[in-house]
Amino acid sequence: MVRDERIGIVGAGISGVTLAHELAKKGYSHVTIMEKEDRVGGKCHSIEYKGKTYEMGALIGLPSYKMTMELMKEFGLKESGPLLERGFFNREGHKISQIPKEQMSDFAKEFKRLPALFGRYESLKAPGLEHIPSDLCKPFASWCDENGLFVLKQVFMHYFSAFGYGSIDEVPAAYVMKLLNFDNLMSFIEITPMITWPQGVTDLVKCMGDRASDLRLTCEVNRIAREAPGKVRVETNQGNLYFDKVIYTASLRDLPDKTDLEEEDRKLFKKIFNERFRVYAYRVDNIPKLSGYIPGNMGPGNRGRMMAWYYRWADLEESDLLTIYVAENEGMSESEMRESIEATLASLGGKNIRLYMMKCWNHFPHVDTAALQRGFYTQLERAQGKYGIYFAGEIMNFPTLENCIIYAKALVERYF
């Protein structure tokens, strides 16, 4: 069935290209993706160094990412790239256990109760965050304390904070549990093989982008305006484009600056804020041949310190390029953050330490506990299509590949 409606998609990250792919499968033949950068992918940002791919954005996929795996199979992509061996280290560079021996008994007891606790929140499995229970609006650390998860709380922190999602003492529990549901948490704890994309995480986005009927790079959206009923004008640096519907996957916080909204909706979008997150690529000799976490550098008061690193290809051959993950500290200068990182690399045994590149991201769009309690997502979902504009992307379901894909598919099914 061919559908003649003209659909515009703002943003060519994983959400944007998934939307275009799903719309094409439903018969939409006039779909235009507008991307302000000169590449597809957004935070899926693979680079090539000495003939191999390295990740400057999204890092890995989990074996529990069913929809991601389905898309990879559809495009004939291999999931098995370099193995990801992981360890835990203290600030002095010595290897440690993730859970101290004296806490193992408490960990076992808490872990045994976890499936029943998670079973209370089946609504989190649905696309979006509209119907989250009220007790998940509080900070995750508070939720853990109320449920007696004192050891597991630290385990959650390791896999949440290390990848730039902020402090569990502040971030609402719903977000943490969207990322670390029981299956995803088990993928980390059991050290199962991850999806590591031999050609880089960007490979999947490129495959879908290549199939798009009209992909426009370096196409920056300046203004979106309603025309006659049912028509939307998008003003770009490449000229004006006209659509029946627009799907916006870029930063929703910026949308009020690009279109006319009612005051209530304008205030709603301005409640969104981001974490500033940096990924550094360093050339380092003599570093341990595994990826690692440094729990002592996570949590409040430790921004600007190296929280984790990824030694990609360590199982196949020697590599001197590491990617390093740091929550930006606005109180530290660039040189101070680099000095801290390089001191940590030296404590791990690193020699001949040289900066290769750095990428700074506006990461993890979300709202605070007060906004969640006041029904932020209920109001956001009610605004779908209100101005001829629909919303997808990171804020709608959580910024992982799997969650963005899930929501994009659900949006197309619901409204198109």
Side-chain angles (χ1 to χ4, degrees):
M1 179 181 177
V2 177
R3 302 173 189 265
D4 291 330
E5 278 187 304
R6 294 185 177 276
I7 311 297
I9 299 172
V10 181
I14 186 65
S15 294
V17 297
T18 301
L19 287 162
H21 183 59
E22 294 300 312
L23 287 166
K25 289 198 290 188
K26 292 195 78 169
Y28 287 87
S29 57
H30 303 292
V31 178
T32 299
I33 309 176
M34 296 157 279
E35 169 55 54
K36 69 177 181 179
E37 302 294 339
D38 60 359
R39 62 175 187 86
V40 298
K43 293 187 181 72
C44 296
H45 186 28
S46 308
I47 62 169
E48 189 170 301
Y49 171 77
K50 294 185 178 180
K52 294 197 176 299
T53 56
Y54 294 81
E55 307 297 359
M56 293 299 297
L59 177 61
I60 54 173
L62 303 180
S64 49
Y65 284 8
K66 294 179 181 178
M67 287 196 176
T68 303
M69 301 271 275
E70 287 175 8
L71 280 172
M72 290 170 61
K73 185 177 181 180
E74 186 175 341
F75 286 94
L77 300 180
K78 295 180 180 179
E79 62 189 73
S80 299
L83 294 177
L84 179 58
E85 184 182 353
R86 292 156 279 165
F88 288 80
F89 293 77
N90 63 21
R91 289 176 175 174
E92 289 70 45
H94 303 299
K95 198 168 184 181
I96 59 174
S97 297
Q98 180 180 15
I99 303 165
K101 288 182 180 179
E102 63 271 17
Q103 294 182 350
M104 282 302 297
S105 176
D106 289 336
F107 168 80
K109 292 174 184 175
E110 292 177 14
F111 190 78
K112 189 175 182 179
R113 294 192 295 110
L114 199 58
L117 281 172
F118 273 54
R120 300 175 187 171
Y121 306 109
E122 289 296 309
S123 61
L124 282 177
K125 295 180 180 180
L129 285 153
E130 183 179 4
H131 301 295
I132 57 172
S134 59
D135 60 330
L136 296 186
C137 294
K138 66 188 65 170
F140 183 70
S142 300
W143 180 87
C144 285
D145 290 343
E146 289 179 8
N147 288 281
L149 301 181
F150 304 109
V151 179
L152 269 172
K153 176 172 65 174
Q154 300 307 309
V155 175
F156 277 97
M157 180 192 73
H158 299 159
Y159 303 123
F160 190 81
S161 297
F163 300 115
Y165 298 120
S167 168
I168 62 170
D169 293 304
E170 300 169 351
V171 174
Y175 290 117
V176 181
M177 293 170 71
K178 268 288 186 178
L179 171 66
L180 295 170
N181 60 40
F182 188 76
D183 289 341
N184 291 354
L185 184 66
M186 287 299 294
S187 295
F188 282 112
I189 291 176
E190 292 185 336
I191 316 294
T192 52
M194 301 293 187
I195 306 172
T196 51
W197 296 281
Q199 300 305 314
V201 64
T202 312
D203 205 18
L204 176 59
V205 188
K206 285 180 178 178
C207 285
M208 287 193 280
D210 287 345
R211 284 197 186 178
S213 58
D214 185 14
L215 169 63
R216 304 190 180 203
L217 300 179
T218 64
C219 182
E220 186 164 3
V221 171
N222 300 315
R223 186 79 182 158
I224 303 174
R226 292 292 294 267
E227 289 273 304
K231 298 293 179 182
V232 184
R233 181 180 76 251
V234 180
E235 301 171 7
T236 78
N237 61 329
Q238 297 181 6
N240 292 347
L241 302 172
Y242 295 87
F243 303 101
D244 297 292
K245 296 175 181 176
V246 169
I247 311 175
Y248 198 88
T249 74
S251 170
L252 277 188
R253 182 176 171 82
D254 298 334
L255 185 59
D257 301 326
K258 298 180 184 294
T259 193
D260 293 324
L261 302 174
E262 294 176 5
E263 187 61 24
E264 184 180 13
D265 293 330
R266 179 176 294 275
K267 289 180 179 178
L268 186 72
F269 292 133
K270 289 301 183 180
K271 291 177 181 177
I272 300 168
F273 61 98
N274 297 80
E275 297 287 335
R276 295 283 291 173
F277 189 58
R278 293 179 175 224
V279 182
Y280 290 83
Y282 268 93
R283 298 179 65 189
V284 187
D285 299 331
N286 201 45
I287 207 77
K289 290 187 178 181
L290 77 169
S291 302
Y293 300 92
I294 307 176
N297 284 346
M298 300 177 194
N302 290 299
R303 300 182 71 88
R305 298 178 182 271
M306 174 176 162
M307 297 185 292
W309 76 92
Y310 183 20
Y311 192 136
R312 188 165 161 87
W313 306 106
D315 62 310
L316 297 179
E317 60 182 82
E318 188 76 24
S319 173
D320 66 349
L321 194 72
L322 304 178
T323 47
I324 290 159
Y325 304 91
V326 178
E328 184 175 297
N329 186 334
E330 294 181 358
M332 294 174 69
S333 67
E334 171 64 29
S335 61
E336 287 172 333
M337 280 189 275
R338 283 188 54 190
E339 286 173 10
S340 175
I341 293 166
E342 290 165 16
T344 302
L345 289 171
S347 74
L348 290 164
K351 307 290 184 184
N352 196 19
I353 300 168
R354 296 144 290 165
L355 179 66
Y356 182 68
M357 69 178 289
M358 186 273 287
K359 188 72 178 178
C360 187
W361 300 105
N362 276 326
H363 192 45
F364 181 35
H366 63 292
V367 296
D368 61 19
T369 56
L372 274 190
Q373 289 166 346
R374 292 180 185 133
F376 171 84
Y377 280 97
T378 298
Q379 295 175 65
L380 186 57
E381 292 291 356
R382 285 176 183 166
Q384 290 280 23
K386 185 175 178 180
Y387 305 94
I389 305 171
Y390 296 81
F391 319 122
E394 296 179 329
I395 183 67
M396 305 306 296
N397 200 38
F398 198 83
T400 62
L401 262 73
E402 181 75 357
N403 280 310
C404 286
I405 290 168
I406 286 171
Y407 193 86
K409 285 175 170 282
L411 184 83
V412 170
E413 191 62 31
R414 184 177 178 186
Y415 294 108
F416 296 83

